[in-house]
Amino acid sequence: MMDVNSTKQEMVRLDAVTKLYGSFTALHETDLSIRAGEFLTLLGPSGSGKTTLLNAVAGMTMPTSGHVWIDSQDVTAMPPEKRGLGMVFQSYALMPHMTVFDNIAYPLKVRKTPKQEIKKRVTNVLELVRLPDLAHRKPKELSGGQQQRVSIARCLIYNPRLILMDEPLGALDKKLREQMQLEIKRLHNELGITMVYVTHDQEEALNMSDRIMLMNGGKAEQIGSPHDLYFKPVSQFAADFIGQSTMLDAKVLEAGDPCILDLGTSGQCKVKAPGANKNQSGKLVLRPETLRLITNDQLPDGFNALSVRYKDSLVTGGTTKYIVELENGTEMIVQELTTPEEAARRHEGQLFAAWPVEAGIFLDQ
Amino acid sequence: MERRSIWRRANAAFAVAAMIFLLLPSLIVVPMSFSDSELIIFPPKEYSFHLYERYVQEPGWVSATILSFRVALWTTILSICLGVPAAYALVRGQFPGRRMLAMFLLSPIMLPSVVLALAFYIYFVRISLSQGELRLVLAHCVATLPFIIVTAAAGIQTVDANIERAARIMGASRVYVFRTVTLPLVIPSIVAGALFAFLISFDEIIISIFVARAGDETLPIKMYSSLVFEVSPVLAAISTMLTVMSALICILVTFVQKSEAKP
């Protein structure tokens, strides 16, 4: 019973999908399961295989091997028009010779919907994406944000079970992006459509997703919630790609709980790393907001501390980023709440960067 | 600064001189066509529409013109039907031998017309195709196909492939997408190509002489034979009309391409 239920709720499944272009492997063997109603983001640098994966789901790319399932149906060899999906492109992909109305009505005309109903549904969906009376304009007369709303409306109008978005906000400026992120998130919550979203912007991925699949070099690096990816990165790539962090060369001096790391000339520290072995080398990852700047006599229990020199500070409103330097010249970023005494810190000669033992992450790969 | 403007003027003067040199022969025929005389002389002593009347009245001229029109029209239609889908496949398709196929389809531009003409002659005899007009249309079609393919391909390349992808994902079949999205966007390019194809077929002579049968005289063939046998002054009138037609078509192409840049 449980099994039947869980397969019913699965919208997309990739079974050992690969894609080769000649001798170049765009996508290594990948398995993925996407729940119905989920917002999944494929995140990664360009050339990491995220668009290849998206195209395999859309049907624009035929996988070299493996199977794609949508709604418990093997669609590997099915042409895109039979899959019942929606897709939003970075370039909007609106038909330039048609008005906004005709663009949005296109999928309904394909489905031979009666004219009366088309008119009603287009009007409704234009309201849903909050576009004022622009139905009779040509796409060229709209702003980038408005064009992307039209292309989202064009997807929503035929109620596809799955919407794919390929860097939809890539061409918009920062403010508009943030506004559109909220808009897409709102539509996802209101309509409960499964969405697969491609982006190279980690902030966007963290903002919007239920789950993120981080990709690198045609492989899945890590799949998990934004929280998991931020606090429990499985690799140095993941730690570096998501969020800001300081990475220090480290070697395990003594395994155990906590184990002791040798940070070279900078000193030693404790870290929770149950799997680590003696003499293993890797990196210690520290997030800026887990670090504190203190003077010598303030070191609390259960904290690590390294001696640092003050270099610079950036007040970014409510928080301040301090750039400090370790003995060996490595820079660290420390983020603290901005206090009226901020300016005084620069003059407090001897400083230490401190962090709770459980905040450090040791990664050997 | 001064030197530069002298250079620029010299350049302009050279360009104008070259243009006059190239255009003069075609323009000289224009006043000659309004001559009252029975001889081809320049400048004419008296002006009249006499030669144009002779064009209409003398046997053969009008029927040759009609034949040329018919052949050019069918050639244009046939090469659009073959060339536009071919251009689409060459631009959007991903199949082995795509570049070789493109080279092959464009090869009639590179081959000397005489070579093509001879090949058609031998081929038509071999397959016993004796219908003269059909021979002309088929042979002209091969010669005009490259022009249709080049202009249509250029048009298709300007259409964002993602627009077609989006349309297919929305549920439209390949054919439906081509009809409702691609075609409306490339119509201006196709019209430009078609006008050129029409013009090329209309004044094509080398291939026509080889493949036409005794009864089928296109206008250029008739002009050529009249030149060889009698040097009729009517030729000046016909040349003038052809020049006007070419000019009109070129203006039309420019106009069409301008509207293409607009949408």
Side-chain angles (χ1 to χ4, degrees):
Chain A
M1 258 325 259
M2 274 302 286
D3 251 34
V4 174
N5 230 335
S6 69
T7 48
K8 236 189 177 175
Q9 299 205 332
E10 184 182 61
M11 181 54 78
V12 179
R13 194 167 91 231
L14 301 187
D15 257 347
V17 170
T18 65
K19 179 68 192 178
L20 277 77
Y21 291 105
S23 60
F24 171 72
T25 308
L27 188 65
H28 292 272
E29 196 170 298
T30 302
D31 297 301
L32 176 66
S33 168
I34 303 170
R35 289 190 315 275
E38 189 175 15
F39 195 117
L40 180 109
T41 298
L42 304 173
L43 174 66
S46 51
S48 60
K50 52 194 194 310
T51 298
T52 308
L53 201 156
L54 194 76
N55 282 334
V57 177
M60 303 309 308
T61 302
M62 180 82 177
T64 308
S65 66
H67 290 268
V68 180
W69 300 73
I70 295 176
D71 227 354
S72 310
Q73 191 186 6
D74 186 345
V75 297
T76 315
M78 192 185 270
E81 65 266 27
K82 297 263 158 62
R83 297 194 182 194
L85 314 176
M87 186 151 171
V88 175
F89 294 82
Q90 179 175 0
S91 59
Y92 318 129
L94 299 174
M95 286 77 147
H97 58 301
M98 296 184 192
T99 61
V100 167
F101 183 95
D102 288 333
N103 263 286
I104 298 176
Y106 190 85
L108 297 184
K109 279 182 189 149
V110 171
R111 287 164 178 75
K112 304 208 161 58
T113 313
K115 269 202 174 140
Q116 286 291 328
E117 201 191 327
I118 290 182
K119 191 149 190 228
K120 208 178 82 199
R121 281 167 71 177
V122 172
T123 316
N124 286 344
V125 84
L126 276 171
E127 256 164 53
L128 188 66
V129 297
R130 295 180 178 164
L131 270 185
D133 288 323
L134 297 175
H136 298 289
R137 300 261 189 97
K138 287 277 177 72
K140 229 184 117 182
E141 301 161 357
L142 306 183
S143 71
Q146 287 172 328
Q147 289 189 50
Q148 199 55 291
R149 277 162 201 258
V150 173
S151 87
I152 291 171
R154 195 174 60 170
C155 266
L156 296 176
I157 198 160
Y158 58 105
N159 304 317
R161 41 194 176 170
L162 173 63
I163 293 183
L164 311 174
M165 299 197 173
D166 190 1
E167 308 234 7
L169 310 181
L172 305 179
D173 60 54
K174 192 167 187 294
K175 203 170 173 195
L176 205 53
R177 285 171 81 109
E178 281 165 6
Q179 198 184 327
M180 288 296 290
Q181 285 172 16
L182 291 174
E183 198 85 340
I184 292 173
K185 200 69 194 141
R186 174 181 69 89
L187 289 169
H188 175 249
N189 289 337
E190 275 177 24
L191 306 170
I193 302 172
T194 314
M195 289 193 179
V196 182
Y197 192 98
V198 164
T199 183
H200 62 263
D201 181 342
Q202 46 112 358
E203 208 176 304
E204 196 166 285
L206 292 172
N207 282 350
M208 304 180 74
S209 323
D210 295 325
R211 270 199 311 157
I212 296 171
M213 174 160 161
L214 178 64
M215 299 193 69
N216 184 28
K219 279 187 208 133
E221 189 84 16
Q222 186 172 2
I223 305 179
S225 66
H227 189 274
D228 281 349
L229 261 76
Y230 191 79
F231 290 106
K232 294 176 201 157
V234 297
S235 65
Q236 291 167 17
F237 174 82
D240 194 34
F241 197 84
I242 294 177
Q244 234 178 358
S245 54
T246 302
M247 291 209 181
L248 304 174
D249 288 319
K251 193 171 176 185
V252 179
L253 214 56
E254 229 175 89
D257 185 28
C259 72
I260 299 177
L261 293 181
D262 178 15
L263 300 174
T265 53
S266 311
Q268 295 182 358
C269 75
K270 292 176 183 165
V271 72
K272 298 257 185 200
N277 298 314
K278 194 176 159 80
N279 285 333
Q280 203 172 12
S281 59
K283 299 259 189 202
L284 174 70
V285 176
L286 298 169
R287 297 293 190 195
E289 66 278 5
T290 63
L291 290 162
R292 293 277 163 278
L293 281 184
I294 57 168
T295 49
N296 199 17
D297 49 0
Q298 297 171 318
L299 184 63
D301 277 347
F303 271 68
N304 293 301
L306 294 175
S307 166
V308 294
R309 263 193 312 278
Y310 172 90
K311 273 192 87 176
D312 203 356
S313 66
L314 303 161
V315 182
T316 58
T319 60
T320 302
K321 278 184 179 156
Y322 296 94
I323 297 159
V324 296
E325 199 177 54
L326 288 169
E327 307 274 293
N328 63 3
T330 314
E331 281 188 357
M332 278 177 116
I333 303 162
V334 179
Q335 183 181 323
E336 291 190 348
L337 294 178
T338 308
T339 59
E341 296 82 40
E342 187 273 325
R345 314 218 69 164
R346 313 172 181 207
H347 308 295
E348 286 172 36
Q350 181 63 37
L351 278 175
F352 291 86
W355 67 98
V357 172
E358 55 287 357
I361 306 159
F362 176 70
L363 296 169
D364 62 343
Q365 52 169 327
Chain B
M1 189 62 201
E2 194 53 31
R3 178 173 285 192
R4 215 166 165 199
S5 86
I6 288 170
W7 265 114
R8 200 168 281 175
R9 262 177 224 180
N11 229 329
F14 182 75
V16 170
M19 211 159 79
I20 289 171
F21 174 77
L22 291 172
L23 278 179
L24 210 55
S26 357
L27 292 181
I28 242 170
V29 208
V30 177
M32 273 158 52
S33 74
F34 293 105
S35 165
D36 203 17
S37 158
E38 281 305 305
L39 300 165
I40 298 185
I41 40 166
F42 185 83
K45 291 194 185 86
E46 253 162 286
Y47 291 93
S48 79
F49 284 101
H50 173 65
L51 294 176
Y52 290 89
E53 280 161 22
R54 276 186 59 187
Y55 161 77
V56 179
Q57 281 156 5
E58 271 179 26
W61 286 119
V62 171
S63 66
T65 311
I66 290 170
L67 178 66
S68 277
F69 255 107
R70 244 190 355 244
V71 168
L73 197 64
W74 283 115
T75 299
T76 307
I77 291 169
L78 188 60
S79 46
I80 286 175
C81 292
L82 294 173
V84 174
Y88 187 76
L90 290 177
V91 174
R92 291 281 192 255
Q94 277 164 345
F95 49 88
R98 195 167 58 97
R99 302 192 108 190
M100 290 297 286
L101 185 64
M103 285 286 285
F104 174 72
L105 287 172
L106 300 184
S107 62
I109 293 183
M110 295 166 242
L111 288 175
S113 294
V114 197
V115 175
L116 278 179
L118 186 65
F120 285 130
Y121 175 76
I122 296 168
Y123 179 66
F124 288 151
V125 168
R126 195 62 184 265
I127 63 168
S128 339
L129 180 71
S130 55
Q131 219 282 328
E133 209 172 315
L134 185 60
R135 281 178 162 207
L136 284 167
V137 169
L138 290 178
H140 282 192
C141 182
V142 172
T144 56
L145 203 52
F147 293 90
I148 297 273
I149 291 179
V150 166
T151 49
I156 293 165
Q157 253 150 5
T158 63
V159 178
D160 180 6
N162 276 341
I163 298 176
E164 292 174 3
R165 283 194 196 116
R168 290 201 64 200
I169 290 172
M170 286 187 277
S173 67
R174 235 178 228 286
V175 177
Y176 189 84
V177 172
F178 184 78
R179 197 161 58 76
T180 56
V181 178
T182 320
L183 203 55
L185 292 173
V186 296
I187 277 285
S189 310
I190 295 174
V191 170
L195 288 170
F196 277 128
F198 186 88
L199 208 56
I200 290 165
S201 165
F202 196 84
D203 71 15
E204 153 57 43
I205 180 151
I206 302 174
I207 295 174
S208 301
I209 285 180
F210 273 70
V211 302
R213 303 187 29 113
D216 305 309
E217 271 194 318
T218 63
L219 190 58
I221 296 179
K222 170 102 175 133
M223 285 170 76
Y224 178 70
S225 48
S226 109
L227 200 65
V228 171
F229 296 118
E230 46 176 338
V231 196
S232 159
V234 178
L235 287 175
I238 298 171
S239 298
T240 303
M241 289 189 283
L242 286 179
T243 307
V244 170
M245 186 179 87
S246 300
L248 282 178
I249 286 184
C250 286
I251 291 167
L252 216 57
V253 168
T254 323
F255 186 72
V256 163
Q257 274 166 345
K258 222 177 219 165
S259 77
E260 175 184 23
K262 225 190 279 166

